[in-house]
Amino acid sequence: MARQKSLSTTTLPQNELAPRTLILDNGAHTIKAGFSSHLTSTPASTTACHVIPNCIARSTRDRRTYIGPDLTTCADFGDLAYRRPVEKGYVVNWEGEKAIWERSFLANNANNDGSELGCDPAETNLILTEAPNAPISLQRNADEMVFEEFGFGAYYRTIAPALNAYALSLFPSTPTSPSGVPLECMLLIDAGHSHTTITPLYHGRALHPAIRRLEIGGKTLTNRLKELISRTFDVHREDHLVEEIKEDVCYVSPSFTQDLERTWKGGRYDGREVDSSVVVDYVLPDYEHIKRGFYRPHDTDAMNLRNRALGIGTETGRREHVVTLGNERFTVPELLFTPSDIGMRQAGLCGTVLQSLDALPEGLRQAYLANIVVVGGTSLLPGFIERLESELRAAVDEDTVIRVARAEDPVKNVWVGGARLASDEVVLRSVMVTRQEWAENGEVWVRRRFAGKKGRGTHRVEAYLTLVGSSMCIIALHKASKAINTTPARIPPRLIPATELAFSRCQVQGSSYLAPGGPTHTPSPSRGTAASPVHCGSVSLFGGIALP
Amino acid sequence: MATGPLRFRTPHIEELPISQSRQSAGFAWVAVSTAQDDPAKNWGTTNRKRARASLGGQTEQQKEALSARVQRETERKIKELNSDNSRDVVIDIAKKPGQSTGGALKAGKTTGTKKILASGKTFAHYLDDEEAEIARTGRRDGDADAPAAAQRASKTPLARRKPRADSSASHSPAPLVAPMAPPPIPRLPTTDSSAAPIPLDGLDDDDDEEEDDEDRVPRMPTSVEMDALLNAPPLTYNQARSAPPPAGMPPPRRFCETCGYWGRVRCLKCGAMTCSVLCKDEHDQSRCLKMYA
């Protein structure tokens, strides 16, 4: 089918990229949006990223409809009905999504007050993220909408986990790489709103057979908390309120059974004292005097509670609605680790990670277990990382090193990665698809291009070299750790690129920490020269160990 | 006419005497199918006590039927938990007050986008469509099987066909016809035991034997394997879902419906678990009847 129509007159010449790139992390709960430019030398910081609620909300009390960023101006969140265009992580309802995008950052909207995100699509590149394993027709719809309807000049659609590889590494032993160079291997756990995805990444590309999805996300937790609170106080219609309660009060307990014991009121014949350190009273906002709910330790005196409900003794002198939250605090996030609690037949987070690793060759297991990065809003729950680490620790061999880290800003980390990718012109040029190309080659071509099926001769080549060459380094490290046997070997066994060993920056320090050199991948494959440094590198490594 | 086991409890049958027969009593023995007699027609009672007490007990099918109902209930509850919009919300995107071109912009600029904007499909529809297409054609659109259809039937006999040299050198992401040749790098063998690990043996020869098994470092994948992994097509939505935990795991934990502690007693009427007598009383008063009525 010919596509001659609707090519706007302001398309750029094919080899030119627009000066600015708009990076849109299109999530189910919020959109993270901001600009980045490959013409400036420094990549954009997180302050350039705006978090926009990705929903259309209708308030029956105000009789107003809030689209996207308007929600921050809403004063009364009570009884707010949400409608989300993103379902299960994928944009399904483009009508709603278009309204939100237009309201947020398209310059042709007259109501674009005060937002720095206004832009002209024809002169902006777009990096759009989506969840992995999208149905093909949804991918096709997204491409068509971006090019035809909004009219962006060039565009790159990727799965959200892949952009995290371009963000800075979280483990102190990995030196910083320049922007545009992805981290070598990373197991990314994206604990998002609709679901939790586990994606192993290799040089910024996803290993598709090993991507697993656990269908518990922030949304499930919020709905479950709604049900539990509704046993005493009906909150089925108060999405926003319950989300706030969840963010304030819920945590992941390191030992579920112990905490459950502490919050039990006891049976008829063996009543117990409730542990006030765990049980809290949450004061609900009434949006007139109390704008935001807060909590305090449980007040066991029933008279006090009743007085406060009547308005006696409160700070504002008005009635207080108080909800007591005991084991809901930790049974709700427990769903992430044990979905069978509500009857869902899926393995918990730890089990899903192991399933994902089983789909990879055995040699990569250690590498990925040592580089686990957690992003996503749900990972902000206190105790999440510790619990994940302890469960993984109990499930794998004693020898394997496990490092789990949460991004500094789990909500914006994907955006930060995208910003760093966009600030490197070479990489940007290689991934962007312009409108000309889309019009000439069609949608199937574009989709395969986004999936990474470029022509041969790109940077895949030296990637294998490093992987293979570093196999010996892994062997070396393993044996070396046994030989030295001083402190429990905390050698980070990430794959050390062979090219860096040649510079023999590895030193075996007294505390047996290894500081490997960082990856500096040159775009042109240096195959012949890199072969010999591998041997030199390994010899120098052992030269270091021979020293006392 | 009675031809077989009848379903009626009180059949009315009149046997017309065709031949001379002696006067018989004004009734006839009829086979009535009871629950015990015909297991195929017995769908299991919901009254568990009767089911347990009935002769022969419950067959596998009946147990399956009962637990299927329970399963459907839990599935429904989970779907509700995972639903995006808490209730059926219909929010019209009101006409924005500064909109000059109004209707035309709202509908979309091209026919394709108009269709996308106007379609009311939900995610479940898209998923079903995709599953149907996979079931029908066996592949997804745009994946590696596409070239098989794109290749025109060549009239050159097989013996005379020249090898297509251009496909391996093309830099376009168009689907390739020939399988990709492995990248021509000097591949270092992964088990290169000749060069590097020679100094290693000297380091740990004291405890060589017992550490041999634990010390075995798994083999790194070859470049061909990594290539295959990286270029593998993405999984479908259902394939990527996490699998159920292995069967050896402990059964799912049950909690009290009233307070959230461990569930210990099960309500006879509705099957809900509660933890203690206090919670059970509360359940009986307020929650049990809701499920019943």
Side-chain angles (χ1 to χ4, degrees), chain A residues 111-123:
Chain A
N111 289 359
N112 210 2
D113 44 349
S115 105
E116 308 103 50
L117 288 178
C119 73
D120 180 19
E123 292 178 8

Side-chain angles (χ1 to χ4, degrees), chain A residues 511-543:
Chain A
S511 61
S512 71
Y513 257 89
L514 272 177
T520 55
H521 297 278
T522 53
S524 61
S526 54
R527 308 171 202 162
T529 52
S532 41
V534 170
H535 296 276
C536 312
S538 43
V539 166
S540 71
L541 179 61
F542 294 111

Side-chain angles (χ1 to χ4, degrees), chain A residues 8 210 285 530:
Chain A
S8 83

Side-chain angles (χ1 to χ4, degrees), chain B residues 117-134:
Chain B
L117 284 173
S119 88
K121 278 178 156 186
T122 63
F123 179 71
H125 294 142
Y126 284 110
L127 200 59
D128 289 341
D129 285 347
E130 170 145 318
E131 293 294 320
E133 187 178 332
I134 294 179

